Amino acid sequence: MSKSKLFQQRKINLFNRNISFKNLNLNKNFDKSFSTFNNENKENKFIKIEEDFDPLTNKKTGVLKVFFNNPSKLNAMTVSLGEEFRKTIETLSIQQTLKALILTGSGKAFSAGGDLDFLSARTKISAKENYEEMLLFYNRYMSMRTLQIPILAAINGDAIGAGLGVALATDLRIVASDAKLGLTFTKLGIHPGMGSTHFLPKIVGPQIAAKMLLTSEIIDGKEAVAIGLALAHYPKENVLEETVKLARRIAAVSPAAVKQLIPTLRGQLDTTLTCALEREATAQAITYQAPDLIEGLKAVIEKRSPNFE
């Protein structure tokens, strides 16, 4: 097999490996409460799970809240967070009573995006290594789209870069009115990633998406609703509550119908997602080798505008 064909096959294998759940231990008791699951898995430092209960009957609603739980780092997208998230999705994938999932952030941010140390490390390895690393990185977070239930993002605060990319990969988004949202990759000196070039044009249209991606524009929650990026905006203290209300409405309809509807709604998007992630990984791997990223990182650390040549 030629080197080019071998490399292409490795690309396919990388994606398939990351969305495969064949290694799950099906003998575990997944009917136990998720609060118990959370307590027994203390190695999870960056993911928190909460079940939702009907306020009148105190019965489980089938809605689960999953928190990015590293508020001191503004829930930055890291390998550790992504791996815990992927494992959580594996566990949830065979939970038959789950009807809707809410993804949100602990503290004042949904996610501030890529971790600076992770990005800095990208400048020290080859483009080929970066390509493979980024595909693995994306797929840890995109694994949530293998769940055949609605995923709602309660964007409780700022969602920047890869953090907004993850939110775009959910089915419904409710946002804090004053949250800052932006795909600020080009201002940092790299090609956009985390599926953002795939999802954003299909959500807000190609022209608005191109403007946001090319300029690294930051908008607030109100504008996000105006352009169709989010369903509704609320004061930040009400975002999770309002998202839970919507999730409960979904949980009250036929689970069998919803389970079939979700792949229908996602169908075309997911058919081409693999190619989109491969393109993003390729382009990011190239821009990681350019001096612009080093300048972009310095500008962030020094809290100034970058000076690209």
Side-chain angles (χ1 to χ4, degrees), residues 94-124:
I94 54 173
Q95 172 52 248
Q96 298 301 312
T97 59
L98 187 59
K99 297 178 180 179
L101 185 146
I102 296 172
L103 184 61
T104 191
S106 296
K108 63 182 182 179
F110 178 82
S111 173
D115 176 71
L116 294 184
D117 290 337
F118 175 82
L119 291 171
S120 180
R122 307 277 65 75
T123 66
K124 300 176 176 62

Side-chain angles (χ1 to χ4, degrees), residues 108-225:
K108 63 182 182 179
F110 178 82
S111 173
D115 176 71
L116 294 184
D117 290 337
F118 175 82
L119 291 171
S120 180
R122 307 277 65 75
T123 66
K124 300 176 176 62
I125 62 176
S126 70
K128 181 179 178 181
E129 289 173 303
N130 271 323
Y131 168 83
E132 295 181 350
E133 180 64 32
M134 293 318 299
L135 265 189
L136 288 169
F137 188 70
Y138 303 153
N139 287 326
R140 290 183 179 103
Y141 292 95
M142 293 298 111
S143 64
M144 66 180 169
R145 290 184 68 84
T146 61
L147 295 178
Q148 283 188 259
I149 56 169
I151 302 173
L152 296 78
I155 307 175
N156 56 299
D158 295 354
I160 302 296
L164 181 54
V166 170
L168 293 174
T170 64
D171 301 298
L172 294 163
R173 289 164 293 280
I174 291 178
V175 63
S177 302
D178 62 351
K180 294 179 180 179
L181 313 175
L183 297 163
T184 56
F185 295 93
T186 55
K187 189 174 182 179
L188 192 59
I190 58 175
H191 186 281
M194 197 58 83
S196 57
T197 63
H198 177 69
F199 291 110
L200 187 65
K202 295 173 177 63
I203 293 170
V204 302
Q207 286 292 290
I208 293 175
K211 183 185 73 166
M212 289 183 67
L213 289 162
L214 288 168
T215 65
S216 287
E217 179 182 24
I218 293 178
I219 61 176
D220 63 20
K222 294 179 181 178
E223 187 171 354
V225 173

